[in-house]
């Protein structure tokens, strides 16, 4: 990567790259411009050259694409959260599909395997991680600028659930009373089935006055639970109701900051695809199961083995399973590091279907065992089309057929997305 002398030129944008940047060509070299879309003609300043082309900053739009729309958020342009909100819903939806198709094409899969994407609407994100910094005038609270540690002070957020967005202003003032000058904090807010769950991570021990201030805040805003984390030490400051998630009617306690899907709507689309793909089979293994997003809906019809590496998550799933009631079939919860000890092809023999939903890096070793197995159906849930496509190639080389891929975008206007891929072996 080389830094360029800022060369300025005009460029016509003709496509979108994997990160949603506008792509054009300058003297035969691809140019990537954040904030541009096909149909734009723009004046840009080249900033650096990388292996795949030139990266440039937008200076001004000379001619606007007819597919541009006005951004829904006042913070658009600065906040790094939702860079793509200037695209019409049609262009944005087509790009989500294209992003999946491009990743699959690198590993030899045809574009017609990709279904029309599910795009979650704005106002549905139920999990956010905000950055805060105490400055002389108060507290800056929001998201980082794109590619920077600078915080954009956000007073409301159109992608978040209104219950979360409404909290931003009062949260800012309570933090101003608690954080000393220049102290930074991270605030995780999750909307659970029993209300708001907040975890504030800041290197400060709470005295009695600070505790009272937080309890008052929790009471005033009907916060279900509020934890303070001081250098790894988790302090349950105000637990007014236990935070729980509801999966197909099963109530599962949510450990502080544990993984859940980013929106209820996204979760519903993923669960419905997973349940549909497993219909009609016997035993199912749910690998990288978290606290049981897929386990409980699957257990309505199947015996399920749920395996997960995070102890807090699998204990929560077990607690939910213990009280789940007779409408659920047997759930066996297993604490297991699936990177170091993937389920072997032999162990997989007892399952008719396997669902796996690994972190961004994918599940290379587990997939190698799956590729050797006799499992008749495999359902991959992924938040990374690139590692998904790599793992899909391993399964295809092991004799599995990729039936279809459903993109599910629950990070509206950002380059992040999820997908479900369904594989079968005759
Ligand atoms: C993308 S989340 C999916 C969780 C769950 N399927 C859901 O939808 O809520 C990935 C999960 O993989 C788990 N995980 C990460 N590394 C792991 C490992 N080495 N072994 C087993 N599980 C792991 C994480 O704790 C997390 O729960």
């Amino acid at each position: 990567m080389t830094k360029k002398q800022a060369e300025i030129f005009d460029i016509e944008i003709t496509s979108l790259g994997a990160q949603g940047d506008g792509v054009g060509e300058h003297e035969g070299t691809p140019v990537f411009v954040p904030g541009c879309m096909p149909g734009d003609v723009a004046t840009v300043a080249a900033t650096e050259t990388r292996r795949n082309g030139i990266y440039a900053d937008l200076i001004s739009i000379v001619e606007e694409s007819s597919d541009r729309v006005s951004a829904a958020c006042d913070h658009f342009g600065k906040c790094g959260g939702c860079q793509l909100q200037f695209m019409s819903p049609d262009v944005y939806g087509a790009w989500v599909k294209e992003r999946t198709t491009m990743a699959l094409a690198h590993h030899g899969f045809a574009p017609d395997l990709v279904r029309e994407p599910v795009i979650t609407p704005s106002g549905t994100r139920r999990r956010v991680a905000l950055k805060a910094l105490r400055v002389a005038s108060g507290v800056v609270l929001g998201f980082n600028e794109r590619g920077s540690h600078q915080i954009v002070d956000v007073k409301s957020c159109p992608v978040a659930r209104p219950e979360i967005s409404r909290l931003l202003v009062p949260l800012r003032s309570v933090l101003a009373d608690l954080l000393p000058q220049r102290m930074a904090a991270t605030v995780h807010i999750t909307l659970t089935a029993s209300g708001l769950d907040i975890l504030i991570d800041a290197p400060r021990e709470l005295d009695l006055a600070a505790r009272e201030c937080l309890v008052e805040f929790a009471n005033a805003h009907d916060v279900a639970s509020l934890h303070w984390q001081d250098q790894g030490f988790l302090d349950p400051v105000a637990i007014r109701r236990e935070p729980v998630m509801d999966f197909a009617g099963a109530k599962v306690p949510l450990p502080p900051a544990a993984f859940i899907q980013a929106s209820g709507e996204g979760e519903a689309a993923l669960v419905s695809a997973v349940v549909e793909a497993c219909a009609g089979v016997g035993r199912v293994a749910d690998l990288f199961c978290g606290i049981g997003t897929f386990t409980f809906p699957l257990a309505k019809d199947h015996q399920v083995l749920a395996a997960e590496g995070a102890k807090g998550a699998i204990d929560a799933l077990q607690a939910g399973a213990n009280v789940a009631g007779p409408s659920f079939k047997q759930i066996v919860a297993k604490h297991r590091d699936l990177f170091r000890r993937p389920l072997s092809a032999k162990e997989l023999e007892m399952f008719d279907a396997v669902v796996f939903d690994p972190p961004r890096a994918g599940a290379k070793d587990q997939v190698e065992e799956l590729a050797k197995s006799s499992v008749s159906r495999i359902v991959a849930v992924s938040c990374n089309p690139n590692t998904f496509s790599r793992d899909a190639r391993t399964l295809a080389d092991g004799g599995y057929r990729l039936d279809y891929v459903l993109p599910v975008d629950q990070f509206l206007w950002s380059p992040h997305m999820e997908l479900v891929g369904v594989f079968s072996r005759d």
Side-chain angles (χ1 to χ4, degrees), residues 123-409:
T124 60
R125 190 89 56 85
R126 63 182 178 186
R127 253 177 82 199
V128 296
L130 300 153
K131 298 286 176 199
L133 180 67
R134 180 70 161 99
V135 292
S137 57
V139 162
V140 183
L141 176 71
F143 301 103
N144 284 346
E145 283 179 17
R146 183 178 168 153
S148 143
H149 291 297
Q150 230 19 41
I151 303 169
V152 181
D153 204 27
V154 170
K155 299 270 166 37
S156 72
C157 174
V159 293
R161 285 282 299 246
E163 297 90 328
I164 294 178
S165 189
R166 275 199 291 274
L167 217 55
L168 300 183
V169 171
L171 193 56
R172 186 176 274 101
S173 69
V174 77
L175 288 173
D177 290 340
L178 298 176
L179 299 178
Q181 278 301 324
R182 304 307 303 165
M183 184 176 278
T186 305
V187 183
H188 301 267
I189 310 178
T190 307
L191 184 62
T192 70
S194 53
L196 290 158
D197 176 49
I198 301 180
L199 169 66
I200 303 173
D201 195 330
R204 166 193 169 175
E205 206 177 319
L206 297 179
D207 55 20
L208 185 59
R211 265 167 213 288
E212 282 174 356
C213 184
L214 286 166
V215 170
E216 202 176 299
F217 172 81
N219 289 338
H221 299 282
D222 192 25
V223 171
S225 69
L226 193 155
H227 287 80
W228 186 277
Q229 185 160 265
D230 169 19
Q231 298 172 80
F233 177 73
L234 198 60
D235 187 343
V237 179
I239 310 299
R240 301 175 66 246
R241 295 184 294 280
E242 184 184 35
V244 291
M245 298 305 294
D246 181 328
F247 300 131
K251 301 283 189 285
V252 181
L254 180 70
F259 180 91
I260 58 164
Q261 296 295 338
S263 72
E265 288 70 4
E267 177 187 300
L270 295 170
V271 166
S272 135
V274 165
V275 167
E276 187 191 306
C278 293
V281 307
R283 279 201 202 108
V284 179
D286 178 11
L287 309 182
F288 305 93
C289 62
I291 64 169
T293 304
F294 304 123
T295 309
F296 290 95
L298 284 167
K300 287 276 174 188
D301 293 311
H302 313 272
Q303 288 182 7
V304 183
L305 168 86
E308 160 67 40
K311 182 82 170 75
I314 201 73
D315 287 349
L317 187 150
Q318 180 70 70
N322 290 346
V323 292
S327 69
F328 293 90
K329 294 205 156 58
Q330 188 192 25
I331 294 173
V332 176
K334 224 182 195 28
H335 181 216
R336 181 150 165 176
D337 181 341
L338 296 168
F339 286 167
R340 290 196 311 177
R341 287 185 56 233
L343 261 69
S344 67
K346 178 97 185 106
E347 286 173 288
L348 290 164
E349 264 172 22
M350 64 187 293
F351 301 102
D352 303 296
V354 171
V355 177
F356 70 100
D357 180 13
R360 283 192 72 72
K364 191 170 172 295
D365 295 330
Q366 182 60 75
V367 166
E368 279 166 12
E369 291 303 315
L370 279 164
K372 291 185 276 184
S373 78
S374 56
V375 172
S376 63
R377 210 158 304 164
I378 297 176
V379 187
V381 181
S382 168
C383 58
N384 184 341
N386 300 339
T387 53
F388 166 79
S389 302
R390 176 203 68 198
D391 291 348
R393 173 44 52 204
T394 306
L395 291 175
D397 290 347
Y400 282 94
R401 180 181 64 242
L402 176 56
D403 296 324
Y404 66 88
V405 176
L406 174 70
V408 176
D409 179 358

Side-chain angles (χ1 to χ4, degrees), residues 10-13 37 39-43 60-65:
D10 283 0
I11 185 170
E12 185 185 346
I13 304 297
M37 65 187 291
D40 284 339
V41 177
T43 304
S60 62
I61 303 275
V62 180
E63 252 178 71
E64 259 195 9
S65 163

